[in-house]
Amino acid sequence: MTTSASVPTASGSTTAGSGTVTDRLVDANARYAAEFTDPGMDARPVLHVAVVACMDARLDLHAALGLELGDCHTIRNAGGVVTDDVIRSLTISQRKLGTRSVVLIHHTGCGLESLTEDFRTELEAEVGQRPAWAVESFRDVDQDVRQSMQRVRTSPFLPHTDDVRGFVFDVKTGLLREIDPA
């Protein structure tokens, strides 16, 4: 199913006769803005929930969770890993914008399962500088969800850690499987 504003050609950087993929996205935005009306919302999520998930393009979080615009804060990165920057975003979400619940979503077939921390060494050899960040690769998605739940629950910056739940999204079925934190 194609849902994007453009489908890249084999080169991946341009679309036939229409410039770059970014040009297509900007064009799509112009069409969107032409019919846009201010929904009158503020930045506080209606459901008081923050969802942390992988950036994988196969995850349509709003559709999968039955969410509407304004329902939640969505924080995404490679693997849906709870990094310092995710804690930063969750802290702002909770302390300044009223969220109380955290939902963590990893998924089957994640690209981080095929990487190792050696990726940082490869980057250093290529560009001459070692990244300050960890790859956060993993082999066991369930255990990685547990680790992410633990990082949220033990953060001194987060005042609301009693409703933290973790799931694995199956990219073949669309179903969530809840992970026991123990």
Side-chain angles (χ1 to χ4, degrees), residues 43-67:
R44 296 175 183 273
V46 173
L47 298 179
H48 308 287
V49 63
V51 177
V52 178
C54 185
M55 66 185 190
D56 191 293
R58 296 171 290 181
L59 277 66
D60 183 349
L61 294 174
H62 276 72
L65 300 174
L67 296 168

Side-chain angles (χ1 to χ4, degrees), residues 18 26 47-48 65 75 81 85 89 95 104 114 120 128 153:
S18 299
V26 171
L47 298 179
H48 308 287
L65 300 174
I75 304 161
V81 176
D85 195 56
S89 294
R95 291 184 176 267
L104 304 168
S114 63
R120 294 171 67 210
R153 288 187 172 128

Side-chain angles (χ1 to χ4, degrees), residues 5 23 40 136 138 177:
D23 292 335
E136 297 275 0
F138 56 88
R177 178 174 51 83

Side-chain angles (χ1 to χ4, degrees), residues 1 12 35 41 50 67 77 109 112 130 165-166 175 178-179:
M1 174 173 78
E35 297 179 22
M41 300 175 183
L67 296 168
N77 67 18
L112 283 185
R130 188 170 185 83
R165 293 171 65 185
L175 289 173
E178 188 158 9
I179 301 302

Side-chain angles (χ1 to χ4, degrees), residues 91-161:
T91 301
I92 293 166
S93 178
Q94 287 190 359
R95 291 184 176 267
K96 296 299 180 185
L97 297 166
T99 61
R100 299 289 180 264
S101 300
V102 178
V103 173
L104 304 168
I105 301 178
H106 288 40
H107 65 92
T108 58
C110 185
L112 283 185
E113 291 175 297
S114 63
L115 288 177
T116 68
E117 291 299 320
D118 291 340
F119 181 62
R120 294 171 67 210
T121 304
E122 294 166 11
L123 286 172
E124 182 178 22
E126 181 182 329
V127 302
Q129 181 178 345
R130 188 170 185 83
W133 40 263
V135 176
E136 297 275 0
S137 60
F138 56 88
R139 295 284 177 256
D140 181 338
V141 68
D142 291 16
Q143 185 56 37
D144 200 60
V145 172
R146 285 186 195 95
Q147 177 178 295
S148 290
M149 285 190 280
Q150 185 66 15
R151 287 178 177 175
V152 171
R153 288 187 172 128
T154 60
S155 173
F157 305 110
L158 300 174
H160 306 288
T161 59

